Amino acid sequence: QVQLAESGGGVVQAGGSLRLSCTVSGVTFRDYHMGWFRQAPGNEREFVAVATRPGTGPYIYYSESVKGRFTISRDNAKKMVYLQMNNLKPEDTAIYYCASSMVALSGVRQSEYYRHWGQGTQVTVSS
């Protein structure tokens, strides 16, 4: 059974930092791209960052809104993916999800190509 579980969310003041973690089980972790997405109330789920599988690059991509502030990393031995979030802004408030995909590189920013999802962790940034 495939399971993804996020942790590390919370409430932080603007300018603060959080580190999200995602543990993965039930799949061959190295075969999958690992992405982070977020969804704010009333908004569609949006791409945040992805670390592609070792056999494809690996490459790392970020959305323009988080580039320079967030860092994604993956530990293939531990089957974990992380999202270090610095200089947080109120507009970063959302539920953050980790997800896995085997899509071609051109599709790694698109949520519809991700097969497995965690339940999400809430991040709230106060002004």
Side-chain angles (χ1 to χ4, degrees), residues 44-62:
E44 294 187 352
R45 192 168 297 185
E46 65 171 347
F47 168 75
V48 175
V50 61
T52 65
R53 59 192 176 196
T56 307
Y59 301 107
I60 288 178
Y61 301 113
Y62 298 99

mmCIF file of all heavy atoms in Angstrom, residues 44-62:
data_model
loop_
_atom_site.group_PDB
_atom_site.id
_atom_site.type_symbol
_atom_site.label_atom_id
_atom_site.label_comp_id
_atom_site.label_asym_id
_atom_site.label_seq_id
_atom_site.Cartn_x
_atom_site.Cartn_y
_atom_site.Cartn_z
ATOM 1 N N GLU A 44 -7.130 26.852 -6.567
ATOM 2 C CA GLU A 44 -6.773 25.532 -7.075
ATOM 3 C C GLU A 44 -5.423 25.114 -6.504
ATOM 4 O O GLU A 44 -4.620 25.932 -6.059
ATOM 5 C CB GLU A 44 -6.709 25.565 -8.608
ATOM 6 C CG GLU A 44 -8.052 25.812 -9.270
ATOM 7 C CD GLU A 44 -7.981 25.679 -10.783
ATOM 8 O OE1 GLU A 44 -6.860 25.550 -11.308
ATOM 9 O OE2 GLU A 44 -9.043 25.711 -11.416
ATOM 10 N N ARG A 45 -5.182 23.827 -6.540
ATOM 11 C CA ARG A 45 -3.895 23.307 -6.097
ATOM 12 C C ARG A 45 -2.813 23.789 -7.062
ATOM 13 O O ARG A 45 -2.988 23.743 -8.273
ATOM 14 C CB ARG A 45 -3.933 21.782 -6.055
ATOM 15 C CG ARG A 45 -2.764 21.151 -5.346
ATOM 16 C CD ARG A 45 -3.011 19.679 -5.096
ATOM 17 N NE ARG A 45 -4.153 19.458 -4.213
ATOM 18 C CZ ARG A 45 -4.519 18.257 -3.757
ATOM 19 N NH1 ARG A 45 -3.830 17.182 -4.122
ATOM 20 N NH2 ARG A 45 -5.551 18.120 -2.974
ATOM 21 N N GLU A 46 -1.706 24.268 -6.497
ATOM 22 C CA GLU A 46 -0.654 24.806 -7.353
ATOM 23 C C GLU A 46 0.681 24.148 -7.066
ATOM 24 O O GLU A 46 0.976 23.729 -5.944
ATOM 25 C CB GLU A 46 -0.527 26.326 -7.177
ATOM 26 C CG GLU A 46 -0.070 26.777 -5.813
ATOM 27 C CD GLU A 46 0.251 28.271 -5.764
ATOM 28 O OE1 GLU A 46 0.352 28.907 -6.832
ATOM 29 O OE2 GLU A 46 0.430 28.777 -4.640
ATOM 30 N N PHE A 47 1.484 24.097 -8.101
ATOM 31 C CA PHE A 47 2.821 23.533 -8.013
ATOM 32 C C PHE A 47 3.722 24.424 -7.172
ATOM 33 O O PHE A 47 3.672 25.654 -7.280
ATOM 34 C CB PHE A 47 3.390 23.400 -9.426
ATOM 35 C CG PHE A 47 4.860 23.108 -9.495
ATOM 36 C CD1 PHE A 47 5.345 21.845 -9.214
ATOM 37 C CD2 PHE A 47 5.761 24.105 -9.834
ATOM 38 C CE1 PHE A 47 6.699 21.576 -9.282
ATOM 39 C CE2 PHE A 47 7.119 23.851 -9.908
ATOM 40 C CZ PHE A 47 7.589 22.586 -9.624
ATOM 41 N N VAL A 48 4.560 23.796 -6.337
ATOM 42 C CA VAL A 48 5.536 24.530 -5.525
ATOM 43 C C VAL A 48 6.964 24.162 -5.945
ATOM 44 O O VAL A 48 7.765 25.027 -6.282
ATOM 45 C CB VAL A 48 5.349 24.234 -4.030
ATOM 46 C CG1 VAL A 48 6.442 24.909 -3.207
ATOM 47 C CG2 VAL A 48 3.970 24.697 -3.562
ATOM 48 N N ALA A 49 7.270 22.867 -5.913
ATOM 49 C CA ALA A 49 8.638 22.432 -6.220
ATOM 50 C C ALA A 49 8.639 20.950 -6.542
ATOM 51 O O ALA A 49 7.738 20.217 -6.139
ATOM 52 C CB ALA A 49 9.572 22.708 -5.040
ATOM 53 N N VAL A 50 9.668 20.523 -7.266
ATOM 54 C CA VAL A 50 9.822 19.106 -7.563
ATOM 55 C C VAL A 50 11.300 18.746 -7.601
ATOM 56 O O VAL A 50 12.126 19.545 -8.052
ATOM 57 C CB VAL A 50 9.149 18.722 -8.894
ATOM 58 C CG1 VAL A 50 9.753 19.470 -10.063
ATOM 59 C CG2 VAL A 50 9.208 17.214 -9.133
ATOM 60 N N ALA A 51 11.594 17.561 -7.102
ATOM 61 C CA ALA A 51 12.927 16.972 -7.242
ATOM 62 C C ALA A 51 12.743 15.697 -8.047
ATOM 63 O O ALA A 51 12.058 14.769 -7.608
ATOM 64 C CB ALA A 51 13.533 16.665 -5.871
ATOM 65 N N THR A 52 13.288 15.676 -9.247
ATOM 66 C CA THR A 52 13.042 14.530 -10.118
ATOM 67 C C THR A 52 13.789 13.290 -9.641
ATOM 68 O O THR A 52 14.719 13.377 -8.835
ATOM 69 C CB THR A 52 13.431 14.852 -11.561
ATOM 70 O OG1 THR A 52 14.845 15.073 -11.635
ATOM 71 C CG2 THR A 52 12.689 16.075 -12.068
ATOM 72 N N ARG A 53 13.406 12.152 -10.150
ATOM 73 C CA ARG A 53 14.011 10.889 -9.743
ATOM 74 C C ARG A 53 15.470 10.837 -10.191
ATOM 75 O O ARG A 53 15.845 11.508 -11.156
ATOM 76 C CB ARG A 53 13.232 9.723 -10.340
ATOM 77 C CG ARG A 53 13.163 9.742 -11.866
ATOM 78 C CD ARG A 53 12.156 8.738 -12.361
ATOM 79 N NE ARG A 53 12.007 8.802 -13.797
ATOM 80 C CZ ARG A 53 10.985 8.265 -14.457
ATOM 81 N NH1 ARG A 53 10.035 7.626 -13.784
ATOM 82 N NH2 ARG A 53 10.923 8.353 -15.761
ATOM 83 N N PRO A 54 16.289 10.068 -9.496
ATOM 84 C CA PRO A 54 17.719 10.035 -9.812
ATOM 85 C C PRO A 54 18.014 9.697 -11.263
ATOM 86 O O PRO A 54 18.982 10.202 -11.828
ATOM 87 C CB PRO A 54 18.254 8.958 -8.860
ATOM 88 C CG PRO A 54 17.297 8.955 -7.719
ATOM 89 C CD PRO A 54 15.960 9.242 -8.332
ATOM 90 N N GLY A 55 17.194 8.851 -11.882
ATOM 91 C CA GLY A 55 17.446 8.461 -13.262
ATOM 92 C C GLY A 55 17.119 9.528 -14.280
ATOM 93 O O GLY A 55 17.464 9.391 -15.465
ATOM 94 N N THR A 56 16.465 10.587 -13.863
ATOM 95 C CA THR A 56 16.107 11.692 -14.757
ATOM 96 C C THR A 56 16.779 12.946 -14.232
ATOM 97 O O THR A 56 16.209 13.721 -13.492
ATOM 98 C CB THR A 56 14.588 11.891 -14.813
ATOM 99 O OG1 THR A 56 13.956 10.679 -15.133
ATOM 100 C CG2 THR A 56 14.241 12.957 -15.844
ATOM 101 N N GLY A 57 17.985 13.165 -14.587
ATOM 102 C CA GLY A 57 18.735 14.339 -14.121
ATOM 103 C C GLY A 57 19.708 13.965 -13.019
ATOM 104 O O GLY A 57 20.807 13.506 -13.288
ATOM 105 N N PRO A 58 19.400 14.176 -11.766
ATOM 106 C CA PRO A 58 18.123 14.731 -11.294
ATOM 107 C C PRO A 58 18.048 16.245 -11.470
ATOM 108 O O PRO A 58 19.067 16.909 -11.525
ATOM 109 C CB PRO A 58 18.118 14.360 -9.811
ATOM 110 C CG PRO A 58 19.563 14.326 -9.438
ATOM 111 C CD PRO A 58 20.291 13.841 -10.665
ATOM 112 N N TYR A 59 16.839 16.732 -11.569
ATOM 113 C CA TYR A 59 16.595 18.151 -11.716
ATOM 114 C C TYR A 59 15.696 18.648 -10.585
ATOM 115 O O TYR A 59 14.956 17.882 -9.988
ATOM 116 C CB TYR A 59 15.895 18.450 -13.049
ATOM 117 C CG TYR A 59 16.671 18.019 -14.258
ATOM 118 C CD1 TYR A 59 16.277 16.906 -14.998
ATOM 119 C CD2 TYR A 59 17.793 18.724 -14.679
ATOM 120 C CE1 TYR A 59 16.984 16.505 -16.116
ATOM 121 C CE2 TYR A 59 18.510 18.334 -15.793
ATOM 122 C CZ TYR A 59 18.100 17.216 -16.510
ATOM 123 O OH TYR A 59 18.806 16.827 -17.611
ATOM 124 N N ILE A 60 15.794 19.922 -10.320
ATOM 125 C CA ILE A 60 14.947 20.569 -9.324
ATOM 126 C C ILE A 60 14.302 21.789 -9.972
ATOM 127 O O ILE A 60 14.989 22.582 -10.630
ATOM 128 C CB ILE A 60 15.760 20.972 -8.083
ATOM 129 C CG1 ILE A 60 16.144 19.710 -7.288
ATOM 130 C CG2 ILE A 60 14.985 21.937 -7.210
ATOM 131 C CD1 ILE A 60 16.986 19.972 -6.067
ATOM 132 N N TYR A 61 13.008 21.919 -9.781
ATOM 133 C CA TYR A 61 12.275 23.060 -10.329
ATOM 134 C C TYR A 61 11.432 23.686 -9.223
ATOM 135 O O TYR A 61 10.942 22.999 -8.332
ATOM 136 C CB TYR A 61 11.349 22.622 -11.466
ATOM 137 C CG TYR A 61 12.042 21.956 -12.616
ATOM 138 C CD1 TYR A 61 11.831 20.613 -12.892
ATOM 139 C CD2 TYR A 61 12.901 22.675 -13.448
ATOM 140 C CE1 TYR A 61 12.455 19.992 -13.963
ATOM 141 C CE2 TYR A 61 13.539 22.071 -14.513
ATOM 142 C CZ TYR A 61 13.307 20.722 -14.773
ATOM 143 O OH TYR A 61 13.936 20.126 -15.832
ATOM 144 N N TYR A 62 11.254 24.987 -9.311
ATOM 145 C CA TYR A 62 10.433 25.738 -8.362
ATOM 146 C C TYR A 62 9.449 26.616 -9.113
ATOM 147 O O TYR A 62 9.708 27.055 -10.234
ATOM 148 C CB TYR A 62 11.304 26.645 -7.487
ATOM 149 C CG TYR A 62 12.304 25.914 -6.628
ATOM 150 C CD1 TYR A 62 13.636 25.795 -7.012
ATOM 151 C CD2 TYR A 62 11.919 25.354 -5.415
ATOM 152 C CE1 TYR A 62 14.556 25.125 -6.226
ATOM 153 C CE2 TYR A 62 12.836 24.682 -4.612
ATOM 154 C CZ TYR A 62 14.148 24.573 -5.032
ATOM 155 O OH TYR A 62 15.054 23.911 -4.245
#
